[in-house]
């Protein structure tokens, strides 16, 4: 199960990388609202800016944005959205507000809008990609002591999987580390060397992989 999950994550990262290769259009003038302390935008407005029509699957609960080629489905209080049949996990669960579904601004800017831009904008030329598996001995990163998981191990595993996917698509891939150990035991020097390596290989794209800690996720809850 863990192998399948890591493989899915690597494929999702590859998709995110393709989205990052596209030029960024000027931001639409979305109406923002603070809801429970989180800056949010109306999903209907997001859809309209990308030519997607909004309709309810279940009134006041499940909303879909779609056109002939794209379908995005949101459910109130569920972080698990569906983007063209793929599950996409949002940072904040969508909320019901003013008879619509509202999505956090950061989820819109960093996840949904880049994915929606795929196929619409001209891609920037990308040849060399640096993959940076976060942390490395002596820095373990986040830990799940109950399961015996260390972030430094997961980032390296994901990086190798992602490298294989990208190389199969013709990209030149350089990794900042290929073992459990960081570049330097000194944290400041370690971070500086990762940046220097990226400059040395003249990378077009830098991807740093991390796993944040979080409370237990229970479907149906925020």
């Amino acid at each position: 199960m863990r192998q399948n999950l890591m493989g899915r994550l690597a494929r999702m990262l590859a998709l995110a990388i393709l989205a990052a290769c596209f030029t960024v259009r000027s931001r639409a003038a979305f109406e923002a609202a603070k809801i429970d302390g989180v800056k949010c935008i109306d999903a209907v407005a997001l859809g309209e800016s990308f030519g997607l029509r909004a309709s309810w699957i279940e009134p006041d609960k499940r909303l879909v944005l779609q056109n002939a080629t794209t379908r995005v489905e949101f459910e109130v209080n569920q972080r698990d959205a569906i983007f063209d049949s793929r599950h996409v996990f949002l940072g904040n669960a969508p909320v019901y507000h003013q008879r619509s579904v509202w999505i956090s601004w950061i989820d819109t800017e960093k996840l949904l809008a880049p994915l929606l831009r795929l196929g619409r904008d001209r891609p920037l030329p990308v040849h060399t990609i640096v993959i940076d598996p976060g942390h490395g001995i002596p820095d373990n990163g986040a830990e799940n002591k109950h399961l015996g998981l260390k972030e430094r191990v997961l980032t390296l595993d994901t990086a190798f999987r992602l490298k294989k996917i990208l190389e199969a698509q013709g990209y030149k891939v350089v990794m900042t580390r290929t073992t459990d150990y960081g570049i330097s035991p000194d944290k400041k020097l370690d971070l500086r060397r990762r940046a220097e390596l990226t400059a040395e290989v003249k990378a077009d794209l830098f991807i740093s992989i991390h796993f944040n800690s979080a409370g237990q996720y229970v479907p149906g809850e925020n």
Side-chain angles (χ1 to χ4, degrees), residues 135-141 143 152 180-187 190:
H135 307 287
I137 294 174
D139 180 11
N140 286 325
E143 294 186 57
R152 66 168 171 80
D180 278 339
Y181 289 84
I183 298 175
S184 167
D186 181 280
K187 190 170 183 179
D190 182 275

Side-chain angles (χ1 to χ4, degrees), residues 116-185:
L116 289 168
R117 290 187 186 106
L118 280 171
R120 291 185 44 161
D121 299 333
R122 178 176 297 176
L124 297 173
V126 173
H127 305 289
T128 302
I129 299 174
V130 168
I131 301 178
D132 175 39
H135 307 287
I137 294 174
D139 180 11
N140 286 325
E143 294 186 57
N144 185 320
K145 295 183 179 180
H146 177 70
L147 297 178
L149 298 176
K150 293 181 173 63
E151 184 178 2
R152 66 168 171 80
V153 176
L154 297 179
T155 58
L156 186 61
D157 181 274
T158 303
F160 276 122
R161 293 169 186 266
L162 180 59
K163 180 176 184 289
K164 183 177 180 181
I165 292 172
L166 293 175
E167 286 180 336
Q169 296 181 22
Y171 295 103
K172 177 184 177 181
V173 178
V174 178
M175 291 176 55
T176 58
R177 68 179 179 96
T178 57
T179 71
D180 278 339
Y181 289 84
I183 298 175
S184 167

Side-chain angles (χ1 to χ4, degrees), residues 7-219:
R8 284 177 58 195
L9 177 60
R11 288 191 291 273
M12 288 172 64
L13 280 170
L15 182 62
I17 289 168
L18 290 175
C21 296
F22 284 75
T23 57
V24 178
R25 293 170 179 249
S26 59
R27 295 182 179 181
F30 296 123
E31 179 186 352
K34 272 286 186 73
I35 305 174
D36 295 330
V38 177
K39 184 179 180 181
C40 299
I41 65 101
D42 188 350
V44 175
L46 171 65
E48 289 176 349
S49 70
F50 287 96
L52 303 175
R53 179 176 55 85
S55 59
W56 289 106
I57 301 174
E58 292 183 46
D60 306 337
K61 183 178 181 182
R62 294 172 61 203
L63 182 77
V64 63
L65 307 177
Q66 61 185 336
N67 58 20
T69 59
T70 303
R71 177 186 172 90
V72 189
E73 183 180 328
F74 302 102
E75 184 171 344
V76 173
N77 297 327
Q78 284 277 16
R79 288 176 50 224
D80 186 1
I82 300 176
F83 191 105
D84 287 343
S85 300
R86 295 183 178 90
H87 289 268
V88 178
F89 292 94
L90 306 174
N92 295 89
V95 295
Y96 183 72
H97 178 70
Q98 295 181 347
R99 298 184 178 180
S100 187
V101 172
W102 289 64
I103 308 162
S104 76
W105 181 263
I106 194 166
D107 281 325
T108 300
E109 287 291 295
K110 302 300 183 182
L111 176 63
L112 298 171
L115 289 175
L116 289 168
R117 290 187 186 106
L118 280 171
R120 291 185 44 161
D121 299 333
R122 178 176 297 176
L124 297 173
V126 173
H127 305 289
T128 302
I129 299 174
V130 168
I131 301 178
D132 175 39
H135 307 287
I137 294 174
D139 180 11
N140 286 325
E143 294 186 57
N144 185 320
K145 295 183 179 180
H146 177 70
L147 297 178
L149 298 176
K150 293 181 173 63
E151 184 178 2
R152 66 168 171 80
V153 176
L154 297 179
T155 58
L156 186 61
D157 181 274
T158 303
F160 276 122
R161 293 169 186 266
L162 180 59
K163 180 176 184 289
K164 183 177 180 181
I165 292 172
L166 293 175
E167 286 180 336
Q169 296 181 22
Y171 295 103
K172 177 184 177 181
V173 178
V174 178
M175 291 176 55
T176 58
R177 68 179 179 96
T178 57
T179 71
D180 278 339
Y181 289 84
I183 298 175
S184 167
D186 181 280
K187 190 170 183 179
K188 289 185 178 180
L189 181 59
D190 182 275
L191 294 174
R192 189 175 73 191
R193 279 298 300 140
R194 294 174 195 241
E196 290 173 346
L197 172 63
T198 304
E200 288 168 7
V201 301
K202 296 180 170 58
D204 302 300
L205 202 61
F206 177 86
I207 307 298
S208 187
I209 301 174
H210 287 267
F211 289 79
N212 290 336
S213 60
Q216 183 178 3
Y217 172 61
V218 179

